[in-house]
Amino acid sequence: MFALIDCNNFYASCERAFQPKLKKRPVVVLSNNDGCVIARSNEAKALGIPMGAPAFEYKDIFERENIFVCSSNYALYGDMSNRVMTMLSEYSPEIEIYSIDEAFLKLTGFEDHFDLYEYGKDMRHKVTKGTGIPISIGFAETKALAKVANKIAKKFPDRTGSVHVIDNEEKRIKALKWTKIGDVWGVGRQHCKRLEAINVLTAYDFTQLKDEWIQRHMSIVGLRLKRELEGISCMDIEDVKDKQNIATTRSFDSNYKEYGFISERVSTFAATCAEKLRKQRSCCNALMVFIHTNGHRKDLEQYSRNTVIKLPYPSNSSIELSKFAVIALKKIFKEGLYYKKAGVIVMDFTPENVTQTSLFSNANPKHPPLMKVMDSINRGIGCTKLKLASQDIKRTWKMRQEKLSPRYTTRIDEVIKVNAI
């Protein structure tokens, strides 16, 4: 058996955990630079606030409906997620953290010794009491069915107690007939359109399709999904793996046309990617640099380009990656335009202790120990104080977060203060 645990309205719930006054009040969380809505409480959804809604277009509605609006507080959300996952790991030795607010538990043999529904209720009680984050739990024989069970638990909390178990054929069929094909885990928008066009409207309809049709139109992945929905486990708990590419991208706080500004930002993004590479002990063999103008400013000339360059040798040096990133930027930068976003993506990883040397060019052997010292000092200070000469010493990247709540659990100067009288 598998259990899928999903935190309800996670970002909004994190805000409510430390601000009880927000309970039952509509809450929305904005993206980087307070651009658009990325999370909504159930109350905000009921008011018709769509996901991705531009904040400036809905400003009047936020005020009229007394909606609490806050900036993304990723330090708080990440720490709260870690607390939830740590508590969940006490219920099974096999856990897969699927996202910041979701996790799978493998419960092989648990059904022989535990009442899974009661087990789930205990899990929900302890996590909610210990963190303040409400969760929904779905149990089933496969990961795909656990997703369906979780959706039912979340949709009908009064009847299920936010815990639902699919443990027999009758429950499986009933759940699949209730689940719309667009809500099935792994069925994307294009597949959904194709399936609806042939009158496949529910997950149950999908399981009635012939294997040949599914494999022809959805490959082996679709066939595996069908087996999962039929109760045949094809996907096991996955181990945490190193990332296969790393990106650092940012939207600027304004539109900029100066090459010097864009070059400094790209150099900084490359240095950040290099630091992340070193953290997982990898080197990259290629990198991509991209720049975009502001798509919302139709009065300005639009431009969007990217370029990929193959490195002459694998590297995770901030110095070397910044140099190559600036070279790539020069290839695509166009004078006279106003840019709103840029980014660096490093790709094609190899272990840092297994590198193929070249006859003509290799990484500077002085860089690894230098980067080690640089990382150590920056970690000790707590923020990036040591920088490259290509970076602006005075500029520390700061997003527009005009409605940022305190980082209650990660900053000692922002913890909750209690006045005792």
Side-chain angles (χ1 to χ4, degrees), residues 78 96 106 116 212 261 282 304 324 329 372 376 388 407:
E96 174 190 339
K106 189 174 183 181
L116 291 181
E212 293 78 11
F261 174 87
S282 297
S304 176
F324 291 126
L329 174 65
K372 185 176 181 180
S376 177
L388 305 180
R407 291 156 288 187

Side-chain angles (χ1 to χ4, degrees), residues 166-414:
I166 298 177
D167 55 1
N168 59 49
E169 190 67 3
E170 180 183 355
K171 287 184 179 180
R172 184 184 73 85
I173 297 299
K174 184 178 180 181
L176 294 184
K177 288 184 176 180
W178 173 81
T179 306
K180 295 178 182 179
I181 188 62
D183 293 334
V184 175
W185 184 38
V187 176
R189 187 177 304 172
Q190 295 303 317
H191 283 318
C192 182
K193 290 180 180 179
R194 182 181 293 114
L195 291 166
E196 289 178 340
I198 60 172
N199 206 36
V200 174
L201 306 179
T202 67
Y204 179 77
D205 296 336
F206 179 76
T207 61
Q208 303 307 298
L209 289 174
K210 293 183 178 180
D211 291 354
E212 293 78 11
W213 188 96
I214 294 178
Q215 186 160 4
R216 182 167 67 251
H217 294 280
M218 300 178 66
S219 75
I220 192 66
V221 176
L223 198 58
R224 187 181 298 127
L225 175 59
K226 180 187 177 183
R227 297 283 184 270
E228 284 268 320
L229 294 175
E230 291 173 334
I232 304 170
S233 182
C234 301
M235 295 180 281
D236 204 349
I237 295 292
E238 295 184 6
D239 296 328
V240 177
K241 298 178 180 179
D242 288 339
K243 296 178 180 179
Q244 296 305 303
N245 57 66
I246 292 173
T248 301
T249 68
R250 294 289 187 275
S251 292
F252 307 140
D253 57 351
S254 185
N255 300 311
Y256 294 91
K257 68 176 182 178
E258 297 83 6
Y259 173 79
F261 174 87
I262 307 298
S263 176
E264 190 278 333
R265 289 291 83 195
V266 166
S267 177
T268 297
F269 299 161
T272 301
C273 287
E275 183 180 355
K276 293 177 181 178
L277 277 171
R278 295 193 295 272
K279 191 173 182 179
Q280 73 170 39
R281 301 183 184 281
S282 297
C283 291
C284 73
N285 290 275
L287 62 78
M288 172 194 289
V289 173
F290 70 83
I291 48 176
H292 295 169
T293 53
N294 192 339
H296 296 289
R297 290 289 302 274
K298 302 303 180 184
D299 57 317
L300 299 176
E301 182 180 348
Q302 298 298 304
Y303 180 77
S304 176
R305 290 290 185 277
N306 69 71
T307 184
V308 177
I309 63 172
K310 186 76 174 177
L311 305 189
Y313 44 80
S315 176
N316 60 12
S317 164
S318 296
I319 299 172
E320 292 169 341
L321 294 190
S322 293
K323 179 185 71 174
F324 291 126
V326 171
I327 291 173
L329 174 65
K330 289 179 180 178
K331 294 182 179 180
I332 59 176
F333 185 83
K334 190 175 179 181
E335 296 283 352
L337 301 184
Y338 287 88
Y339 295 96
K340 182 62 176 176
K341 186 174 183 178
V344 176
I345 304 174
V346 292
M347 305 169 288
D348 188 13
F349 295 170
T350 54
E352 67 176 3
N353 60 345
V354 182
T355 57
Q356 179 65 50
T357 57
S358 168
L359 181 62
F360 300 104
S361 60
N362 288 292
N364 190 325
K366 295 181 180 180
H367 286 190
L370 176 61
M371 293 298 104
K372 185 176 181 180
V373 171
M374 185 175 179
D375 291 341
S376 177
I377 293 175
N378 283 332
R379 282 196 303 269
I381 295 175
C383 57
T384 305
K385 293 296 184 182
L386 287 183
K387 296 184 177 182
L388 305 180
S390 59
Q391 297 177 257
D392 189 334
I393 297 176
K394 297 181 180 180
R395 178 181 287 125
T396 298
W397 183 259
K398 186 176 182 180
M399 296 182 291
R400 181 189 300 156
Q401 295 176 307
E402 297 174 351
K403 304 178 185 297
L404 183 66
S405 57
R407 291 156 288 187
Y408 301 100
T409 64
T410 59
R411 291 287 295 269
I412 190 65
D413 57 331
E414 296 182 14

Side-chain angles (χ1 to χ4, degrees), residues 1-5 103-107 123 137-140 146:
M1 294 290 284
F2 292 88
L4 174 65
I5 298 88
F104 285 102
L105 296 181
K106 189 174 183 181
L107 304 166
M123 191 187 305
I137 307 171
F139 293 92

Side-chain angles (χ1 to χ4, degrees), residues 3-4 6 98 102 104 138-140 142-152 183-185:
L4 174 65
D6 184 17
Y98 185 66
E102 287 183 282
F104 285 102
F139 293 92
T142 70
K143 291 171 76 173
L145 281 176
K147 273 273 191 178
V148 174
N150 181 276
K151 188 172 291 291
I152 294 172
D183 293 334
V184 175
W185 184 38

